[in-house]
Amino acid sequence: MNNTITVKDLVCGMDVSTDSELNIKYENKLYYFCSGHCLAKFEKNPKEYIENKKKPKQDKVDKATIYTCPMHPEIKQQGPGSCPKCGMALEPLVASVDEGENEELIDMSRRFWVSAVLSLPVFILAMTADLAPSFFPTWLDMKLAQWIMFILATPAILWGGWPFFVRGWQSVQTWNLNMFTLIALGVSVAWVYSVIALLFPQIFPPVMQMEGGLVDVYFEAAAVIVTLVLLGQVLELRARSKTNEAIQLLLGLAPNMARIVRDDGSEEDIPLEDVHVGDILRIRPGEKIPVDGVVIEGESNVDESMVTGEPIAVVKLSGEKLIGATINSTGTLLMKAQKVGNDTLLAQIINMVSEASRSRAPIQKLADKVAGYFVPAVVGIAIIAFFIWWIWGPEPRLAHAVVSAVAVLIIACPCALGLATPVSIMIGTGRGAMVGVLIKNAEALEVLEKVDTLVVDKTGTLTEGKPKLVGIEVQNGFDENEILQKVATLEKVSEHPLAEAIVNGALKREIELTNVNNFQSITGEGAIGEVDSSSVAIGNIKLLKNLNIDVGSLSSLADKRRIDGETVMLVAIDGKAAGLIAVADSIKDSTHEAIKKLHDEGIKVVMLTGDNRTTAEAVAKKLQIDRVQAEVSPKQKAEVIKQLQADGHIVAMAGDGINDAPALALADVGIAMGTGTDVAMESAGVTLVKGDLRGIVRAIGLSKATMKNIKQNLFFAFIYNSAGVPIAAGVLYPFFGILLSPIIAAAAMSFSSVSVISNSLRLKKVKL
């Protein structure tokens, strides 16, 4: 059946029997399908169906070509363009190693330099005429000077500022008023007013006319505004290009080639995309691990710092897992590929960072709400300022009114307000990825700062998650190896980590395991079954009591071992208490340090575990954990989370198992240990690449730094606009004779956006 492609490979993931009547023969191959929806859509055109399904998933193909807006991530389109809501340039949804030249940056730079060259002589002419008339050339009369300014300024305004006019018009059409609405409106008012003043000066009142009947024009203001806004766009685009550096660095980690070992022993270097699950690969000293997999031969130190943030190399032996893109240091390894392409940890990290950087934090709702009312309010203020100056201002009133209105429109551009949150989120999540802290979405990043209670599972979170058999005690009439043989045989079909410890202990003693019948796992109690015609039960005291088995002295023996932090399971054979098996899971070296740092942050630590109370309390005492709840089921873990939340606590939950998934999803922030299950990682808002509680300290530190940065950005933006608009409207003129020039307003507006991005970029260097 090597020539058969099943539905599992192509459509819904189900395995279909080759006896199914629903099959299609195409190019001498048989394709089998499940009944119903999978076949219905294309059954009339099997060629189209099969060829489509043999292609890579369309969303993965298109994802790299989809562009989105950093301020409005819900906006997505194929290919570059501008956001219909804010007018900003769209960015690729997923960064690439080599994104090539930024076409918008090239275009804006070209427009800036041309506009700057044209605007400079216009600005010099205007300033000389206004501020130093004695230096004005005698051969150049003012009428000719105005025409020269018109000829030079018009291409700078209309061609240089064309993108602003297009985006401004789009914003009006879609009624998503934004910064480009104000820029286009302000520049248009200044230029149109100046053109009318140049061509028809006689229509203006005599008080506005100079010698020769000329009227002041503002070509230099409109041209310089466009030039300064273009400069701001160039600086902003350059700064924004740095925000994706973390993703680009991660993308650049993966090697391009892998060395495959063929079945005949020959070796060959092949492209990374040609590596498949199950391939045997050789990693030589100094080479990068190509994909995720497991060591099958060899021993070496591997530098995993690029994905875990830990600088110390990890010793890898046979059976140890390898992470793609990490660096092999000294020895030669043979590995078996287990995850390739988009399934590797590195690919998942890149995907998570990309999605998190485009997500929206709750705090951004405030900025969005303000921005929604801001632009119409600014237009209203500009109109009011215009009429106040026109009616009550000093002569020439109309000129002052135009200058004031244009200054208000330009200085109030809310670009800085819109950038305040998304740029910080983008850089913060990228910074976290570089130290092994993966943020699933911006909401999790924001809530982490407020967490005051951390709930942790014991096994795999506080401990190594690799329990080992440490002792067996038997009752009279039973043999130690006999008990271990029967219990290990029973447990070999169980997926519980304690079962694996018992099986491994038996195999180390070279005890032969047989077959088990009627295996039954009893949640929260243990397991029962038949081994070699004997009924076998292993679990807690509750299990044996429910089976009406007298535990005798085993209870006191178990308590003694639990005081030392061991997990104890009672064993019964043929209805009699036979002994106990003790398993210990050592505490991670980093756990003590992590809990101390969490306490220093004012966070209480609560341990929830399904383990026995005595064992749990022994571990908690060693670690100085604030509260312990033992012998809890997965459902009860979720209930404890609910109760803590009802008591007013902001709760983070850290776990690594399938049984932790409900609690992880229910907590205010779920934190999955990267060494755990995919289900736990999917349920959590934060994933720690290395199963180390110190990562939680890093995550909280990252959250605090990012939120502080966002608040600084929002403060700068709010204060800037709150102070800038009244000054531009002329509120200081009656007291100090100060009327803000539109040119100064444009410079200040551009500076505000660049300052917000520059402040956000500081997150790249925050210590975690």
Side-chain angles (χ1 to χ4, degrees):
M1 298 305 300
N2 292 333
N3 65 342
T4 300
I5 299 179
T6 68
V7 171
K8 182 175 183 180
D9 298 317
L10 297 180
V11 188
C12 67
M14 292 178 60
D15 286 320
V16 178
S17 169
T18 54
D19 294 331
S20 170
E21 295 180 359
L22 294 174
N23 61 74
I24 295 174
K25 190 171 184 180
Y26 175 67
E27 292 184 352
N28 296 320
K29 292 184 181 180
L30 285 174
Y31 296 83
Y32 295 88
F33 306 100
C34 68
S35 60
H37 66 280
C38 289
L39 184 62
K41 186 174 181 181
F42 288 106
E43 62 181 347
K44 294 181 180 179
N45 192 343
K47 180 179 179 180
E48 178 186 355
Y49 178 84
I50 294 167
E51 288 183 345
N52 281 336
K53 290 305 175 184
K54 287 173 72 177
K55 295 176 183 177
K57 287 186 178 179
Q58 195 63 30
D59 61 338
K60 291 183 179 179
V61 173
D62 291 342
K63 204 169 186 181
T65 64
I66 292 176
Y67 282 67
T68 185
C69 175
M71 292 202 297
H72 300 94
E74 69 276 12
I75 300 297
K76 293 182 175 67
Q77 72 172 44
Q78 289 240 314
S82 59
C83 175
K85 288 190 174 182
C86 66
M88 291 181 62
L90 301 180
E91 298 176 349
L93 184 64
V94 178
S96 61
V97 180
D98 182 13
E99 293 189 340
E101 295 181 325
N102 186 327
E103 294 297 331
E104 187 185 21
L105 177 58
I106 294 172
D107 180 58
M108 288 293 181
S109 298
R110 184 187 302 116
R111 292 178 189 272
F112 163 70
W113 286 112
V114 172
S115 298
V117 169
L118 294 173
S119 300
L120 184 59
V122 177
F123 180 75
I124 293 173
L125 271 176
M127 291 302 100
T128 303
D130 291 343
L131 303 178
S134 59
F135 290 96
F136 200 77
T138 55
W139 55 268
L140 185 62
D141 62 50
M142 186 53 66
K143 183 72 173 178
L144 179 58
Q146 287 186 346
W147 275 100
I148 291 173
M149 287 190 283
F150 167 74
I151 292 169
L152 292 175
T154 298
I157 295 166
L158 299 185
W159 178 80
W162 184 250
F164 309 148
F165 294 119
V166 171
R167 295 175 187 180
W169 177 242
Q170 287 175 343
S171 72
V172 174
Q173 285 182 310
T174 59
W175 203 243
N176 290 300
L177 306 183
N178 53 53
M179 63 171 287
F180 295 106
T181 315
L182 301 180
I183 292 171
L185 188 57
V187 171
S188 298
V189 168
W191 184 77
V192 170
Y193 169 85
S194 299
V195 170
I196 294 173
L198 174 66
L199 299 178
F200 310 105
Q202 67 277 6
I203 69 173
F204 290 84
V207 72
M208 293 185 65
Q209 296 178 6
M210 301 180 292
E211 185 180 343
L214 300 178
V215 176
D216 274 328
V217 294
Y218 296 99
F219 291 120
E220 86 286 352
V224 173
I225 286 171
V226 167
T227 303
L228 289 173
V229 174
L230 284 168
L231 175 61
Q233 289 289 293
V234 170
L235 295 176
E236 183 181 314
L237 287 166
R238 286 181 179 173
R240 275 167 52 192
S241 67
K242 297 180 181 179
T243 60
N244 270 331
E245 282 184 356
I247 298 177
Q248 290 170 343
L249 181 59
L250 289 168
L251 285 164
L253 291 175
N256 296 320
M257 305 291 289
R259 190 167 188 82
I260 189 171
V261 179
R262 306 289 186 188
D263 293 340
D264 60 3
S266 62
E267 298 184 10
E268 179 187 358
D269 289 328
I270 62 172
L272 187 65
E273 56 268 23
D274 291 344
V275 176
H276 298 94
V277 174
D279 284 348
I280 306 301
L281 308 173
R282 182 178 298 281
I283 300 94
R284 293 164 291 193
E287 290 184 338
K288 290 182 178 180
I289 312 296
V291 294
D292 295 358
V294 62
V295 177
I296 59 174
E297 184 181 308
E299 176 181 345
S300 183
N301 293 321
V302 175
D303 178 3
E304 297 182 339
S305 60
M306 63 282 297
V307 290
T308 65
E310 294 294 330
I312 301 173
V314 182
V315 177
K316 297 293 183 179
L317 306 172
S318 180
E320 297 276 354
K321 290 188 175 182
L322 296 172
I323 301 173
T326 55
I327 301 173
N328 181 32
S329 299
T330 52
T332 298
L333 297 173
L334 277 183
M335 69 172 289
K336 184 176 183 179
Q338 293 181 324
K339 292 183 178 180
V340 300
N342 289 327
D343 294 327
T344 64
L345 177 61
L346 181 64
Q348 292 176 36
I349 290 173
I350 292 168
N351 186 55
M352 188 177 291
V353 174
S354 296
E355 291 183 0
S357 68
R358 307 295 179 193
S359 62
R360 298 166 72 81
I363 196 173
Q364 192 170 341
K365 293 178 182 178
L366 173 63
D368 291 344
K369 189 173 183 179
V370 172
Y373 294 105
F374 192 73
V375 175
V378 167
V379 174
I381 293 171
I383 293 171
I384 292 170
F386 176 86
F387 282 108
I388 288 175
W389 279 95
W390 193 15
I391 297 170
W392 293 292
E395 295 292 355
R397 293 176 182 175
L398 183 59
H400 281 98
V402 170
V403 169
S404 178
V406 170
V408 169
L409 291 170
I410 297 301
I411 201 169
C413 289
C415 183
L417 193 61
L419 289 170
T421 299
V423 176
S424 292
I425 294 294
M426 190 180 299
I427 297 170
T429 52
R431 177 72 180 94
M434 303 313 295
V435 293
V437 177
L438 306 182
I439 309 295
K440 190 174 185 179
N441 54 56
E443 183 176 0
L445 186 63
E446 179 173 337
V447 176
L448 260 176
E449 179 199 28
K450 306 170 186 174
V451 166
D452 59 20
T453 303
L454 174 65
V455 176
V456 295
D457 181 41
K458 179 174 75 70
T459 305
T461 303
L462 300 175
T463 63
E464 294 287 353
K466 298 178 181 178
K468 297 178 181 178
L469 179 65
V470 293
I472 302 174
E473 297 198 25
V474 300
Q475 299 284 68
N476 291 333
F478 290 94
D479 176 73
E480 183 175 306
N481 283 344
E482 177 194 3
I483 289 177
L484 183 57
Q485 186 269 336
K486 292 185 182 299
V487 170
T489 298
L490 177 69
E491 293 282 39
K492 74 178 182 180
V493 296
S494 172
E495 295 181 353
H496 198 283
L498 298 181
E500 185 180 355
I502 295 170
V503 172
N504 289 338
L507 294 177
K508 283 185 179 180
R509 296 191 186 191
E510 297 182 349
I511 293 175
E512 185 178 352
L513 306 185
T514 54
N515 296 320
V516 59
N517 296 312
N518 301 322
F519 174 84
Q520 184 180 354
S521 176
I522 303 174
T523 304
E525 296 183 20
I528 58 177
E530 295 179 5
V531 178
D532 298 334
S533 302
S534 297
S535 63
V536 180
I538 179 170
N540 54 27
I541 193 169
K542 184 178 179 181
L543 174 67
L544 269 62
K545 284 184 177 180
N546 288 340
L547 295 173
N548 297 317
I549 298 173
D550 181 16
V551 298
S553 61
L554 287 180
S555 181
S556 59
L557 290 173
D559 287 340
K560 289 180 181 178
R561 284 188 170 271
R562 287 171 181 144
I563 291 172
D564 294 328
E566 296 177 2
T567 299
V568 180
M569 292 158 284
L570 307 183
V571 179
I573 297 177
D574 292 328
K576 295 181 180 180
L580 62 80
I581 290 181
V583 172
D585 187 7
S586 58
I587 296 171
K588 293 177 182 176
D589 294 336
S590 60
T591 301
H592 289 88
E593 178 190 350
I595 290 179
K596 182 180 182 303
K597 288 184 176 180
L598 288 167
H599 283 153
D600 292 342
E601 293 284 345
I603 296 172
K604 290 186 177 181
V605 182
V606 178
M607 183 172 78
L608 298 183
T609 178
D611 211 339
N612 176 272
R613 179 170 298 281
T614 306
T615 303
E617 288 180 347
V619 173
K621 186 176 180 181
K622 289 180 182 177
L623 296 173
Q624 297 183 332
I625 287 174
D626 301 291
R627 177 179 165 188
V628 182
Q629 284 194 235
E631 301 174 0
V632 294
S633 66
K635 183 179 178 181
Q636 289 172 321
K637 286 184 179 182
E639 290 172 355
V640 172
I641 299 287
K642 286 182 181 178
Q643 186 57 53
L644 287 168
Q645 291 171 329
D647 292 340
H649 295 289
I650 307 297
V651 182
M653 164 75 187
D656 71 334
I658 293 176
N659 62 331
D660 295 322
L664 287 170
L666 185 63
D668 295 290
V669 182
I671 303 174
M673 316 304 277
T675 50
T677 64
D678 291 341
V679 175
M681 292 172 67
E682 191 63 32
S683 303
V686 178
T687 298
L688 308 179
V689 175
K690 188 175 182 182
D692 185 339
L693 277 184
R694 288 177 299 184
I696 297 178
V697 180
R698 293 193 188 103
I700 292 172
L702 176 66
S703 172
K704 289 183 176 180
T706 304
M707 294 313 300
K708 180 180 179 182
N709 193 272
I710 288 173
K711 289 170 184 175
Q712 289 170 345
N713 288 346
L714 289 173
F715 175 79
F716 292 152
F718 278 127
I719 291 298
Y720 166 81
N721 283 311
S722 299
V725 171
I727 294 172
V731 73
L732 297 180
Y733 187 84
F735 308 101
F736 306 103
I738 297 174
L739 182 60
L740 193 67
S741 165
I743 294 174
I744 303 299
M749 183 273 294
S750 298
F751 174 76
S752 68
S753 300
V754 175
S755 63
V756 163
I757 296 176
S758 300
N759 185 54
S760 300
L761 287 170
R762 293 192 304 113
L763 284 172
K764 295 172 66 176
K765 297 181 180 179
V766 67
K767 291 184 179 180
L768 299 175

